[in-house]
Amino acid sequence: MSLTFYYSPRSNASRIHWTLAELGVPHEVVKVDLRAGDQKKPEFLALNPNGKVPTIVLDGTPMFESVAIQIALGERHGVEKGLWPAPGSSEHYQALTWIIWGQVTLAATLFRYMMNTSEWTPKEQHNEPQAEAALKELHGLLRILDDRLDGRDYLTGDRFTLADLDLASVMGWGLGWAKIDIAPYPKLQAWLGRINERPAARAVQAADQ
Ligand SMILES: N[C@@H](CCC(=O)N[C@@H](CS)C(=O)NCC(=O)O)C(=O)O
């Protein structure tokens, strides 16, 4: 088994850093200096033509898109560690549903809100009605998540999985950045608290500073 992880701190790669810490899988880390433009170098583009992290090379095969990497690592190493449900189980289908929802629906809405409000995007590209619509949609999604966690400690039941990790990671950067108060979502708030207390989460947050 060989695994090389192309990483940059405080980026989308942090969730994979956290996953690898949870799994305790041996791997090599290659730091990609995004400010210096390492991600645009031909040798990196040959692995990921998008020029983005995270990227991994798993037994010689390059992979990109954090959610695809999460699922591959979960299926390969997470099942035996109890961090990913056995393929074909009901929990597996639930984990797939929520991990993809986190990316395709929740993160995309957060991103839309960000594009219309952030100081990182030029003001002339901001659109107030779009921002308002995205924020309203976001609150609807947080309500869905809070309801999902009613009577469940984690997304698929009483066991933490990499789906929880992935969504909590989106929340970590997104909600903090968007300054969204999650007090109206107490189950969501308690779930985030439980996840962020995990030793691997604390270790990675400290290393990411
Ligand atoms: N959808 C991709 C997004 C990856 C992404 O946007 N990575 C950013 C860091 S957060 C990046 O590498 N940016 C470098 C660049 O755009 O030049 C994923 O989830 O892996």
Side-chain angles (χ1 to χ4, degrees):
M1 196 291 284
S2 76
L3 171 57
T4 308
F5 172 38
Y6 293 81
Y7 163 77
S8 178
R10 294 177 298 282
S11 75
N12 256 305
S14 298
R15 72 221 291 168
I16 302 302
H17 187 191
W18 181 2
T19 295
L20 289 168
E22 292 278 358
L23 292 171
V25 178
H27 60 279
E28 183 196 346
V29 177
V30 178
K31 277 212 173 171
V32 180
D33 185 339
L34 297 180
R35 280 171 194 255
D38 288 356
Q39 73 279 26
K40 303 294 178 211
K41 291 185 176 158
E43 58 272 28
F44 186 80
L45 292 173
L47 302 174
N48 181 350
N50 302 285
K52 292 190 191 294
V53 292
T55 296
I56 65 168
V57 178
L58 189 55
D59 286 344
T61 302
M63 286 189 73
F64 46 85
E65 287 302 335
S66 47
V67 76
I69 295 171
Q70 290 287 24
I71 294 169
L73 293 176
E75 292 189 348
R76 190 167 162 135
H77 301 286
V79 179
E80 67 187 55
K81 307 249 174 185
L83 291 166
W84 187 251
S89 62
S90 164
E91 288 76 20
H92 181 232
Y93 301 141
Q94 294 172 54
L96 286 177
T97 298
W98 287 99
I99 200 169
I100 300 292
W101 179 86
Q103 280 304 296
V104 171
T105 302
L106 181 67
T109 308
L110 260 168
F111 193 68
R112 188 149 49 84
Y113 181 60
M114 186 174 108
M115 293 306 283
N116 284 292
T117 53
S118 166
E119 61 202 26
W120 302 321
T121 44
K123 263 208 161 16
E124 59 273 18
Q125 287 178 21
H126 292 180
N127 177 312
E128 215 170 298
Q130 285 276 4
E132 268 174 34
L135 186 61
K136 188 164 176 238
E137 209 175 301
L138 206 46
H139 278 289
L141 298 174
L142 295 178
R143 168 60 46 221
I144 288 173
L145 196 50
D146 196 61
D147 288 348
R148 173 68 188 179
L149 292 163
D150 191 12
R152 283 184 189 86
D153 279 350
Y154 297 102
L155 289 166
T156 57
D158 56 8
R159 204 158 56 112
F160 168 85
T161 72
L162 298 180
D164 296 285
L165 180 159
D166 208 66
L167 258 79
S169 184
V170 169
M171 300 277 173
W173 67 261
L175 297 182
W177 170 84
K179 297 187 181 61
I180 290 177
D181 178 16
I182 55 167
Y185 311 104
K187 281 135 203 136
L188 166 53
Q189 198 170 27
W191 166 80
L192 266 181
R194 273 193 295 283
I195 294 174
N196 286 325
E197 281 302 308
R198 294 178 67 82
R202 287 171 162 259
V204 167
Q205 279 161 15
D208 235 18
Q209 294 314 307

mmCIF file of all heavy atoms in Angstrom, residues 136-180:
data_model
loop_
_atom_site.group_PDB
_atom_site.id
_atom_site.type_symbol
_atom_site.label_atom_id
_atom_site.label_comp_id
_atom_site.label_asym_id
_atom_site.label_seq_id
_atom_site.Cartn_x
_atom_site.Cartn_y
_atom_site.Cartn_z
ATOM 1 N N LYS A 136 -30.983 32.373 3.032
ATOM 2 C CA LYS A 136 -32.265 31.754 3.396
ATOM 3 C C LYS A 136 -32.183 30.232 3.158
ATOM 4 O O LYS A 136 -32.595 29.425 3.990
ATOM 5 C CB LYS A 136 -33.370 32.386 2.544
ATOM 6 C CG LYS A 136 -34.748 31.982 2.957
ATOM 7 C CD LYS A 136 -35.793 32.917 2.367
ATOM 8 C CE LYS A 136 -37.176 32.402 2.745
ATOM 9 N NZ LYS A 136 -38.016 32.123 1.616
ATOM 10 N N GLU A 137 -31.623 29.883 2.021
ATOM 11 C CA GLU A 137 -31.481 28.466 1.676
ATOM 12 C C GLU A 137 -30.584 27.751 2.691
ATOM 13 O O GLU A 137 -30.878 26.639 3.134
ATOM 14 C CB GLU A 137 -30.847 28.371 0.286
ATOM 15 C CG GLU A 137 -31.238 27.145 -0.487
ATOM 16 C CD GLU A 137 -30.661 27.194 -1.892
ATOM 17 O OE1 GLU A 137 -30.968 28.140 -2.647
ATOM 18 O OE2 GLU A 137 -29.879 26.295 -2.209
ATOM 19 N N LEU A 138 -29.523 28.453 3.079
ATOM 20 C CA LEU A 138 -28.576 27.903 4.047
ATOM 21 C C LEU A 138 -29.261 27.582 5.374
ATOM 22 O O LEU A 138 -29.059 26.506 5.947
ATOM 23 C CB LEU A 138 -27.480 28.950 4.251
ATOM 24 C CG LEU A 138 -26.112 28.510 4.697
ATOM 25 C CD1 LEU A 138 -25.614 27.315 3.921
ATOM 26 C CD2 LEU A 138 -25.141 29.688 4.497
ATOM 27 N N HIS A 139 -30.076 28.508 5.827
ATOM 28 C CA HIS A 139 -30.793 28.257 7.093
ATOM 29 C C HIS A 139 -31.738 27.057 6.946
ATOM 30 O O HIS A 139 -31.885 26.281 7.882
ATOM 31 C CB HIS A 139 -31.523 29.514 7.570
ATOM 32 C CG HIS A 139 -30.586 30.448 8.292
ATOM 33 N ND1 HIS A 139 -30.073 30.157 9.547
ATOM 34 C CD2 HIS A 139 -30.040 31.631 7.933
ATOM 35 C CE1 HIS A 139 -29.249 31.132 9.929
ATOM 36 N NE2 HIS A 139 -29.212 32.040 8.965
ATOM 37 N N GLY A 140 -32.332 26.911 5.786
ATOM 38 C CA GLY A 140 -33.192 25.739 5.548
ATOM 39 C C GLY A 140 -32.382 24.446 5.635
ATOM 40 O O GLY A 140 -32.834 23.444 6.195
ATOM 41 N N LEU A 141 -31.153 24.480 5.116
ATOM 42 C CA LEU A 141 -30.300 23.288 5.136
ATOM 43 C C LEU A 141 -29.828 22.975 6.558
ATOM 44 O O LEU A 141 -29.754 21.804 6.958
ATOM 45 C CB LEU A 141 -29.100 23.487 4.200
ATOM 46 C CG LEU A 141 -29.464 23.688 2.725
ATOM 47 C CD1 LEU A 141 -28.225 24.025 1.905
ATOM 48 C CD2 LEU A 141 -30.150 22.447 2.164
ATOM 49 N N LEU A 142 -29.549 24.022 7.321
ATOM 50 C CA LEU A 142 -29.128 23.797 8.719
ATOM 51 C C LEU A 142 -30.286 23.202 9.521
ATOM 52 O O LEU A 142 -30.085 22.355 10.390
ATOM 53 C CB LEU A 142 -28.646 25.112 9.350
ATOM 54 C CG LEU A 142 -27.385 25.702 8.708
ATOM 55 C CD1 LEU A 142 -27.001 27.025 9.369
ATOM 56 C CD2 LEU A 142 -26.211 24.730 8.778
ATOM 57 N N ARG A 143 -31.485 23.613 9.184
ATOM 58 C CA ARG A 143 -32.669 23.038 9.842
ATOM 59 C C ARG A 143 -32.790 21.545 9.502
ATOM 60 O O ARG A 143 -33.055 20.701 10.353
ATOM 61 C CB ARG A 143 -33.912 23.841 9.393
ATOM 62 C CG ARG A 143 -35.271 23.289 9.708
ATOM 63 C CD ARG A 143 -35.563 23.095 11.195
ATOM 64 N NE ARG A 143 -35.193 24.233 12.022
ATOM 65 C CZ ARG A 143 -34.606 24.124 13.241
ATOM 66 N NH1 ARG A 143 -34.357 22.939 13.760
ATOM 67 N NH2 ARG A 143 -34.295 25.186 13.926
ATOM 68 N N ILE A 144 -32.542 21.209 8.235
ATOM 69 C CA ILE A 144 -32.592 19.794 7.812
ATOM 70 C C ILE A 144 -31.567 18.971 8.606
ATOM 71 O O ILE A 144 -31.860 17.882 9.108
ATOM 72 C CB ILE A 144 -32.329 19.686 6.291
ATOM 73 C CG1 ILE A 144 -33.541 20.205 5.520
ATOM 74 C CG2 ILE A 144 -31.990 18.250 5.876
ATOM 75 C CD1 ILE A 144 -33.334 20.300 4.012
ATOM 76 N N LEU A 145 -30.377 19.526 8.748
ATOM 77 C CA LEU A 145 -29.313 18.816 9.465
ATOM 78 C C LEU A 145 -29.660 18.681 10.949
ATOM 79 O O LEU A 145 -29.465 17.615 11.556
ATOM 80 C CB LEU A 145 -27.998 19.579 9.266
ATOM 81 C CG LEU A 145 -26.706 18.868 9.593
ATOM 82 C CD1 LEU A 145 -26.626 17.491 8.949
ATOM 83 C CD2 LEU A 145 -25.514 19.712 9.120
ATOM 84 N N ASP A 146 -30.179 19.749 11.522
ATOM 85 C CA ASP A 146 -30.571 19.709 12.941
ATOM 86 C C ASP A 146 -31.659 18.645 13.151
ATOM 87 O O ASP A 146 -31.599 17.869 14.103
ATOM 88 C CB ASP A 146 -31.077 21.101 13.346
ATOM 89 C CG ASP A 146 -31.135 21.263 14.854
ATOM 90 O OD1 ASP A 146 -30.068 21.155 15.504
ATOM 91 O OD2 ASP A 146 -32.234 21.476 15.397
ATOM 92 N N ASP A 147 -32.615 18.589 12.238
ATOM 93 C CA ASP A 147 -33.679 17.576 12.343
ATOM 94 C C ASP A 147 -33.098 16.165 12.203
ATOM 95 O O ASP A 147 -33.530 15.238 12.883
ATOM 96 C CB ASP A 147 -34.743 17.784 11.248
ATOM 97 C CG ASP A 147 -35.603 19.013 11.525
ATOM 98 O OD1 ASP A 147 -35.538 19.554 12.659
ATOM 99 O OD2 ASP A 147 -36.315 19.450 10.597
ATOM 100 N N ARG A 148 -32.137 16.019 11.304
ATOM 101 C CA ARG A 148 -31.522 14.706 11.109
ATOM 102 C C ARG A 148 -30.853 14.213 12.402
ATOM 103 O O ARG A 148 -30.804 13.018 12.697
ATOM 104 C CB ARG A 148 -30.470 14.816 9.991
ATOM 105 C CG ARG A 148 -29.626 13.570 9.799
ATOM 106 C CD ARG A 148 -30.454 12.436 9.262
ATOM 107 N NE ARG A 148 -29.720 11.179 9.236
ATOM 108 C CZ ARG A 148 -30.221 10.019 8.825
ATOM 109 N NH1 ARG A 148 -31.463 9.948 8.390
ATOM 110 N NH2 ARG A 148 -29.504 8.929 8.839
ATOM 111 N N LEU A 149 -30.318 15.156 13.174
ATOM 112 C CA LEU A 149 -29.579 14.792 14.385
ATOM 113 C C LEU A 149 -30.488 14.675 15.609
ATOM 114 O O LEU A 149 -30.015 14.438 16.715
ATOM 115 C CB LEU A 149 -28.461 15.817 14.620
ATOM 116 C CG LEU A 149 -27.358 15.747 13.543
ATOM 117 C CD1 LEU A 149 -26.500 17.002 13.550
ATOM 118 C CD2 LEU A 149 -26.496 14.502 13.721
ATOM 119 N N ASP A 150 -31.787 14.806 15.377
ATOM 120 C CA ASP A 150 -32.742 14.649 16.477
ATOM 121 C C ASP A 150 -32.828 13.150 16.820
ATOM 122 O O ASP A 150 -33.239 12.345 15.980
ATOM 123 C CB ASP A 150 -34.106 15.188 16.025
ATOM 124 C CG ASP A 150 -35.060 15.300 17.198
ATOM 125 O OD1 ASP A 150 -34.609 15.184 18.364
ATOM 126 O OD2 ASP A 150 -36.261 15.504 16.951
ATOM 127 N N GLY A 151 -32.373 12.775 17.991
ATOM 128 C CA GLY A 151 -32.415 11.363 18.376
ATOM 129 C C GLY A 151 -31.252 10.539 17.851
ATOM 130 O O GLY A 151 -31.236 9.319 17.982
ATOM 131 N N ARG A 152 -30.295 11.204 17.223
ATOM 132 C CA ARG A 152 -29.087 10.511 16.729
ATOM 133 C C ARG A 152 -27.868 11.294 17.191
ATOM 134 O O ARG A 152 -27.836 12.519 17.039
ATOM 135 C CB ARG A 152 -29.029 10.535 15.194
ATOM 136 C CG ARG A 152 -29.921 9.588 14.487
ATOM 137 C CD ARG A 152 -29.657 9.679 12.961
ATOM 138 N NE ARG A 152 -30.660 8.914 12.263
ATOM 139 C CZ ARG A 152 -31.850 9.386 11.911
ATOM 140 N NH1 ARG A 152 -32.168 10.648 12.169
ATOM 141 N NH2 ARG A 152 -32.724 8.614 11.305
ATOM 142 N N ASP A 153 -26.848 10.583 17.654
ATOM 143 C CA ASP A 153 -25.607 11.288 18.015
ATOM 144 C C ASP A 153 -24.815 11.675 16.776
ATOM 145 O O ASP A 153 -24.086 12.663 16.767
ATOM 146 C CB ASP A 153 -24.727 10.393 18.909
ATOM 147 C CG ASP A 153 -25.205 10.445 20.354
ATOM 148 O OD1 ASP A 153 -26.059 11.299 20.670
ATOM 149 O OD2 ASP A 153 -24.726 9.624 21.161
ATOM 150 N N TYR A 154 -24.941 10.848 15.740
ATOM 151 C CA TYR A 154 -24.180 11.088 14.505
ATOM 152 C C TYR A 154 -25.110 10.899 13.301
ATOM 153 O O TYR A 154 -26.232 10.407 13.452
ATOM 154 C CB TYR A 154 -22.964 10.141 14.432
ATOM 155 C CG TYR A 154 -21.998 10.420 15.572
ATOM 156 C CD1 TYR A 154 -21.955 9.596 16.706
ATOM 157 C CD2 TYR A 154 -21.181 11.550 15.533
ATOM 158 C CE1 TYR A 154 -21.102 9.892 17.767
ATOM 159 C CE2 TYR A 154 -20.328 11.847 16.587
ATOM 160 C CZ TYR A 154 -20.295 11.018 17.702
ATOM 161 O OH TYR A 154 -19.469 11.324 18.742
ATOM 162 N N LEU A 155 -24.610 11.235 12.120
ATOM 163 C CA LEU A 155 -25.490 11.260 10.947
ATOM 164 C C LEU A 155 -26.118 9.914 10.626
ATOM 165 O O LEU A 155 -27.247 9.855 10.150
ATOM 166 C CB LEU A 155 -24.697 11.756 9.724
ATOM 167 C CG LEU A 155 -24.347 13.243 9.777
ATOM 168 C CD1 LEU A 155 -23.301 13.580 8.729
ATOM 169 C CD2 LEU A 155 -25.605 14.084 9.571
ATOM 170 N N THR A 156 -25.365 8.821 10.890
ATOM 171 C CA THR A 156 -25.911 7.508 10.535
ATOM 172 C C THR A 156 -26.389 6.737 11.762
ATOM 173 O O THR A 156 -26.754 5.568 11.644
ATOM 174 C CB THR A 156 -24.851 6.660 9.782
ATOM 175 O OG1 THR A 156 -23.705 6.553 10.633
ATOM 176 C CG2 THR A 156 -24.448 7.298 8.477
ATOM 177 N N GLY A 157 -26.363 7.347 12.921
ATOM 178 C CA GLY A 157 -26.831 6.660 14.136
ATOM 179 C C GLY A 157 -25.969 6.985 15.333
ATOM 180 O O GLY A 157 -25.654 8.150 15.577
ATOM 181 N N ASP A 158 -25.512 5.942 16.057
ATOM 182 C CA ASP A 158 -24.766 6.225 17.288
ATOM 183 C C ASP A 158 -23.251 6.154 17.092
ATOM 184 O O ASP A 158 -22.494 6.200 18.039
ATOM 185 C CB ASP A 158 -25.209 5.268 18.419
ATOM 186 C CG ASP A 158 -25.046 3.808 18.013
ATOM 187 O OD1 ASP A 158 -24.458 3.546 16.941
ATOM 188 O OD2 ASP A 158 -25.504 2.940 18.777
ATOM 189 N N ARG A 159 -22.818 6.030 15.837
ATOM 190 C CA ARG A 159 -21.384 5.866 15.568
ATOM 191 C C ARG A 159 -20.871 6.987 14.670
ATOM 192 O O ARG A 159 -21.466 7.287 13.631
ATOM 193 C CB ARG A 159 -21.182 4.521 14.865
ATOM 194 C CG ARG A 159 -19.803 3.949 15.014
ATOM 195 C CD ARG A 159 -19.821 2.447 14.774
ATOM 196 N NE ARG A 159 -20.378 2.107 13.465
ATOM 197 C CZ ARG A 159 -19.667 1.589 12.462
ATOM 198 N NH1 ARG A 159 -18.391 1.352 12.602
ATOM 199 N NH2 ARG A 159 -20.234 1.281 11.321
ATOM 200 N N PHE A 160 -19.747 7.597 15.085
ATOM 201 C CA PHE A 160 -19.085 8.617 14.267
ATOM 202 C C PHE A 160 -18.523 7.967 13.004
ATOM 203 O O PHE A 160 -17.920 6.896 13.071
ATOM 204 C CB PHE A 160 -17.941 9.223 15.093
ATOM 205 C CG PHE A 160 -16.981 10.078 14.321
ATOM 206 C CD1 PHE A 160 -17.253 11.422 14.091
ATOM 207 C CD2 PHE A 160 -15.793 9.543 13.826
ATOM 208 C CE1 PHE A 160 -16.344 12.214 13.379
ATOM 209 C CE2 PHE A 160 -14.892 10.325 13.110
ATOM 210 C CZ PHE A 160 -15.170 11.661 12.895
ATOM 211 N N THR A 161 -18.731 8.608 11.859
ATOM 212 C CA THR A 161 -18.117 8.113 10.608
ATOM 213 C C THR A 161 -17.444 9.283 9.880
ATOM 214 O O THR A 161 -17.594 10.451 10.282
ATOM 215 C CB THR A 161 -19.158 7.495 9.640
ATOM 216 O OG1 THR A 161 -19.947 8.563 9.091
ATOM 217 C CG2 THR A 161 -20.045 6.459 10.306
ATOM 218 N N LEU A 162 -16.772 8.961 8.817
ATOM 219 C CA LEU A 162 -16.103 10.007 8.029
ATOM 220 C C LEU A 162 -17.115 10.955 7.381
ATOM 221 O O LEU A 162 -16.750 12.060 6.977
ATOM 222 C CB LEU A 162 -15.202 9.373 6.965
ATOM 223 C CG LEU A 162 -14.060 8.505 7.512
ATOM 224 C CD1 LEU A 162 -13.226 7.937 6.364
ATOM 225 C CD2 LEU A 162 -13.170 9.281 8.478
ATOM 226 N N ALA A 163 -18.373 10.547 7.306
ATOM 227 C CA ALA A 163 -19.400 11.476 6.799
ATOM 228 C C ALA A 163 -19.583 12.618 7.809
ATOM 229 O O ALA A 163 -19.700 13.792 7.424
ATOM 230 C CB ALA A 163 -20.719 10.744 6.565
ATOM 231 N N ASP A 164 -19.573 12.293 9.114
ATOM 232 C CA ASP A 164 -19.660 13.335 10.136
ATOM 233 C C ASP A 164 -18.445 14.256 10.037
ATOM 234 O O ASP A 164 -18.574 15.479 10.090
ATOM 235 C CB ASP A 164 -19.688 12.699 11.541
ATOM 236 C CG ASP A 164 -20.923 11.853 11.763
ATOM 237 O OD1 ASP A 164 -22.001 12.431 11.965
ATOM 238 O OD2 ASP A 164 -20.820 10.606 11.699
ATOM 239 N N LEU A 165 -17.292 13.633 9.890
ATOM 240 C CA LEU A 165 -16.052 14.420 9.791
ATOM 241 C C LEU A 165 -16.132 15.399 8.624
ATOM 242 O O LEU A 165 -15.818 16.579 8.756
ATOM 243 C CB LEU A 165 -14.870 13.451 9.620
ATOM 244 C CG LEU A 165 -13.464 14.018 9.483
ATOM 245 C CD1 LEU A 165 -12.426 12.944 9.845
ATOM 246 C CD2 LEU A 165 -13.158 14.560 8.110
ATOM 247 N N ASP A 166 -16.582 14.903 7.480
ATOM 248 C CA ASP A 166 -16.585 15.741 6.276
ATOM 249 C C ASP A 166 -17.544 16.927 6.425
ATOM 250 O O ASP A 166 -17.208 18.064 6.093
ATOM 251 C CB ASP A 166 -16.942 14.893 5.054
ATOM 252 C CG ASP A 166 -16.322 15.478 3.805
ATOM 253 O OD1 ASP A 166 -15.074 15.466 3.714
ATOM 254 O OD2 ASP A 166 -17.054 15.979 2.948
ATOM 255 N N LEU A 167 -18.727 16.651 6.945
ATOM 256 C CA LEU A 167 -19.695 17.748 7.122
ATOM 257 C C LEU A 167 -19.230 18.732 8.190
ATOM 258 O O LEU A 167 -19.378 19.943 8.030
ATOM 259 C CB LEU A 167 -21.081 17.205 7.479
ATOM 260 C CG LEU A 167 -22.029 17.212 6.290
ATOM 261 C CD1 LEU A 167 -21.758 16.035 5.384
ATOM 262 C CD2 LEU A 167 -23.458 17.199 6.753
ATOM 263 N N ALA A 168 -18.663 18.197 9.269
ATOM 264 C CA ALA A 168 -18.180 19.083 10.339
ATOM 265 C C ALA A 168 -17.058 19.972 9.810
ATOM 266 O O ALA A 168 -16.921 21.126 10.224
ATOM 267 C CB ALA A 168 -17.696 18.258 11.529
ATOM 268 N N SER A 169 -16.292 19.437 8.893
ATOM 269 C CA SER A 169 -15.202 20.206 8.317
ATOM 270 C C SER A 169 -15.747 21.367 7.458
ATOM 271 O O SER A 169 -15.254 22.496 7.526
ATOM 272 C CB SER A 169 -14.357 19.239 7.495
ATOM 273 O OG SER A 169 -13.258 19.864 6.996
ATOM 274 N N VAL A 170 -16.783 21.085 6.688
ATOM 275 C CA VAL A 170 -17.441 22.148 5.898
ATOM 276 C C VAL A 170 -17.967 23.229 6.858
ATOM 277 O O VAL A 170 -17.778 24.429 6.648
ATOM 278 C CB VAL A 170 -18.611 21.578 5.069
ATOM 279 C CG1 VAL A 170 -19.456 22.686 4.458
ATOM 280 C CG2 VAL A 170 -18.108 20.648 3.986
ATOM 281 N N MET A 171 -18.602 22.769 7.938
ATOM 282 C CA MET A 171 -19.152 23.709 8.930
ATOM 283 C C MET A 171 -18.046 24.559 9.542
ATOM 284 O O MET A 171 -18.214 25.736 9.779
ATOM 285 C CB MET A 171 -19.792 22.942 10.095
ATOM 286 C CG MET A 171 -20.894 22.065 9.693
ATOM 287 S SD MET A 171 -22.354 23.061 9.597
ATOM 288 C CE MET A 171 -23.440 21.889 8.913
ATOM 289 N N GLY A 172 -16.905 23.882 9.818
ATOM 290 C CA GLY A 172 -15.798 24.570 10.488
ATOM 291 C C GLY A 172 -15.383 25.822 9.740
ATOM 292 O O GLY A 172 -15.300 26.901 10.319
ATOM 293 N N TRP A 173 -15.149 25.678 8.436
ATOM 294 C CA TRP A 173 -14.703 26.873 7.711
ATOM 295 C C TRP A 173 -15.880 27.749 7.318
ATOM 296 O O TRP A 173 -15.848 28.970 7.451
ATOM 297 C CB TRP A 173 -13.827 26.538 6.498
ATOM 298 C CG TRP A 173 -14.509 25.825 5.356
ATOM 299 C CD1 TRP A 173 -14.463 24.495 5.106
ATOM 300 C CD2 TRP A 173 -15.341 26.396 4.324
ATOM 301 N NE1 TRP A 173 -15.208 24.199 3.991
ATOM 302 C CE2 TRP A 173 -15.752 25.340 3.488
ATOM 303 C CE3 TRP A 173 -15.769 27.688 4.030
ATOM 304 C CZ2 TRP A 173 -16.590 25.541 2.378
ATOM 305 C CZ3 TRP A 173 -16.604 27.890 2.926
ATOM 306 C CH2 TRP A 173 -16.998 26.820 2.117
ATOM 307 N N GLY A 174 -16.961 27.104 6.912
ATOM 308 C CA GLY A 174 -18.064 27.854 6.302
ATOM 309 C C GLY A 174 -18.841 28.705 7.286
ATOM 310 O O GLY A 174 -19.054 29.898 7.057
ATOM 311 N N LEU A 175 -19.255 28.094 8.394
ATOM 312 C CA LEU A 175 -20.113 28.842 9.307
ATOM 313 C C LEU A 175 -19.327 29.941 10.003
ATOM 314 O O LEU A 175 -19.821 31.041 10.231
ATOM 315 C CB LEU A 175 -20.741 27.900 10.333
ATOM 316 C CG LEU A 175 -21.670 26.838 9.735
ATOM 317 C CD1 LEU A 175 -22.278 25.989 10.828
ATOM 318 C CD2 LEU A 175 -22.762 27.473 8.888
ATOM 319 N N GLY A 176 -18.059 29.605 10.333
ATOM 320 C CA GLY A 176 -17.200 30.614 10.968
ATOM 321 C C GLY A 176 -17.021 31.786 10.029
ATOM 322 O O GLY A 176 -17.191 32.948 10.392
ATOM 323 N N TRP A 177 -16.742 31.457 8.809
ATOM 324 C CA TRP A 177 -16.503 32.500 7.824
ATOM 325 C C TRP A 177 -17.783 33.338 7.602
ATOM 326 O O TRP A 177 -17.757 34.563 7.569
ATOM 327 C CB TRP A 177 -16.033 31.879 6.497
ATOM 328 C CG TRP A 177 -16.039 32.922 5.465
ATOM 329 C CD1 TRP A 177 -15.065 33.820 5.209
ATOM 330 C CD2 TRP A 177 -17.164 33.246 4.660
ATOM 331 N NE1 TRP A 177 -15.502 34.690 4.270
ATOM 332 C CE2 TRP A 177 -16.787 34.371 3.913
ATOM 333 C CE3 TRP A 177 -18.437 32.714 4.501
ATOM 334 C CZ2 TRP A 177 -17.647 34.957 3.012
ATOM 335 C CZ3 TRP A 177 -19.290 33.303 3.606
ATOM 336 C CH2 TRP A 177 -18.883 34.417 2.868
ATOM 337 N N ALA A 178 -18.910 32.659 7.442
ATOM 338 C CA ALA A 178 -20.165 33.369 7.124
ATOM 339 C C ALA A 178 -20.792 34.006 8.375
ATOM 340 O O ALA A 178 -21.790 34.709 8.266
ATOM 341 C CB ALA A 178 -21.151 32.399 6.478
ATOM 342 N N LYS A 179 -20.173 33.735 9.549
ATOM 343 C CA LYS A 179 -20.649 34.293 10.826
ATOM 344 C C LYS A 179 -22.120 33.954 11.064
ATOM 345 O O LYS A 179 -22.936 34.817 11.372
ATOM 346 C CB LYS A 179 -20.416 35.806 10.887
ATOM 347 C CG LYS A 179 -18.944 36.185 10.828
ATOM 348 C CD LYS A 179 -18.754 37.671 11.055
ATOM 349 C CE LYS A 179 -17.301 38.089 10.971
ATOM 350 N NZ LYS A 179 -16.642 37.837 9.690
ATOM 351 N N ILE A 180 -22.433 32.677 10.883
ATOM 352 C CA ILE A 180 -23.813 32.239 11.086
ATOM 353 C C ILE A 180 -23.954 31.680 12.496
ATOM 354 O O ILE A 180 -23.164 30.818 12.914
ATOM 355 C CB ILE A 180 -24.207 31.192 10.026
ATOM 356 C CG1 ILE A 180 -24.304 31.918 8.687
ATOM 357 C CG2 ILE A 180 -25.530 30.512 10.368
ATOM 358 C CD1 ILE A 180 -24.600 31.046 7.523
#
